[in-house]
């Protein structure tokens, strides 16, 4: 089932998500819906808070569904390693229409549970490392604009407020 993607300003995006206690049928449904919603957007990553669910789950697929092996599901993920730095343009399905250059690690290793409850660790470099860090931030209630400084951040936040007041957000 497709779920609506909540936007910047919705409380659930700005608070830390809770760990998943057990992988129940409900969690399986949430993950299935997240994948469907991510592909439909289309996007390369989605965190549970983005569909209004305050749990520590994210999905990433750089192939956006084209490669069956491309889907990565992470439940209760943690960083095992983080190295280097990259500067690239980035956006977010919860902040449509805005992009900014964000500093991210060049390489990360993330470990978490898959849907079968097995621990798996996945290494990502470049875009995958960026996606992992972006989604991990969502689980801590942090959006890419929160990683920007000063003027750039203020400009985006001001425009979002204006759109919100106009009922267009
Ligand atoms: Zn995002």
């Amino acid at each position: 089932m497709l779920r609506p993607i909540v936007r910047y300003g919705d409380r659930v995006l700005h608070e830390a998500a809770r760990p998943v206690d057990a992988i129940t049928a409900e969690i399986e449904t949430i993950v299935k819906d997240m994948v469907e919603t991510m592909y439909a957007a289309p996007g390369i990553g989605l965190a549970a808070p983005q569909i209004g669910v305050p749990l520590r789950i994210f999905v990433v697929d750089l192939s956006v569904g084209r490669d069956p092996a491309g889907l990565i599901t992470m439940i209760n993920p943690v960083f095992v390693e983080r190295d280097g730095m990259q500067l690239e343009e980035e956006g977010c399905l919860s902040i449509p229409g805005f992009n900014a250059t964000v500093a991210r690690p060049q390489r990360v290793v993330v470990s978490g549970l898959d849907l079968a409850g097995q621990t798996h660790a996945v290494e990502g470099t470049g875009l995958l490392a960026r996606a992992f860090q972006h989604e991990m931030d969502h689980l801590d209630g942090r959006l890419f604009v929160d990683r920007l400084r000063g003027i750039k951040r203020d400009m985006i936040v001001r425009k979002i407020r204006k759109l919100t007041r106009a009922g267009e957000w």
Side-chain angles (χ1 to χ4, degrees):
M1 195 180 76
L2 287 182
R3 307 249 197 149
I5 296 175
V6 298
R7 293 187 173 188
Y8 183 97
D10 194 307
R11 209 167 150 186
V12 69
L13 289 178
H14 302 278
E15 291 176 348
R18 296 191 309 270
V20 172
D21 293 329
I23 297 166
T24 58
E26 191 195 346
I27 297 296
E28 285 174 21
T29 302
I30 289 167
V31 171
K32 197 166 157 272
D33 290 351
M34 284 171 65
V35 172
E36 233 179 277
T37 303
M38 170 175 72
Y39 289 161
I44 61 165
L46 194 74
Q50 291 183 276
I51 58 161
V53 175
L55 291 173
R56 303 189 76 82
I57 306 170
F58 72 71
V59 291
V60 163
D61 185 349
L62 297 190
S63 83
V64 199
R66 281 186 290 271
D67 173 7
L71 178 64
I72 299 161
T73 300
M74 282 286 176
I75 298 166
N76 298 341
V78 292
F79 283 117
V80 181
E81 291 175 36
R82 260 189 293 189
D83 313 293
M85 202 269 275
Q86 55 169 317
L87 278 171
E88 295 290 342
E89 187 98 330
E90 189 169 316
C92 177
L93 294 175
S94 294
I95 316 176
F98 295 94
N99 291 292
T101 301
V102 186
R104 298 292 192 185
Q106 175 57 33
R107 176 186 166 274
V108 304
V109 179
V110 176
S111 173
L113 299 176
D114 62 17
L115 258 189
Q118 301 294 313
T119 300
H120 64 149
V122 181
E123 180 187 28
T125 57
L127 181 60
L128 187 55
R130 169 170 298 277
F132 280 160
Q133 179 70 66
H134 180 110
E135 302 311 331
M136 287 290 269
D137 274 359
H138 272 302
L139 305 186
D140 293 326
R142 189 184 295 150
L143 301 173
F144 82 81
V145 293
D146 300 322
R147 291 215 176 250
L148 305 175
R149 297 168 209 245
I151 294 168
K152 183 73 188 170
R153 180 175 193 277
D154 293 347
M155 204 179 72
I156 293 177
V157 170
R158 232 183 4 253
K159 282 183 184 163
I160 292 172
R161 285 209 190 107
K162 213 174 145 191
L163 286 168
T164 305
R165 278 198 303 273
E168 290 165 10
W169 186 247

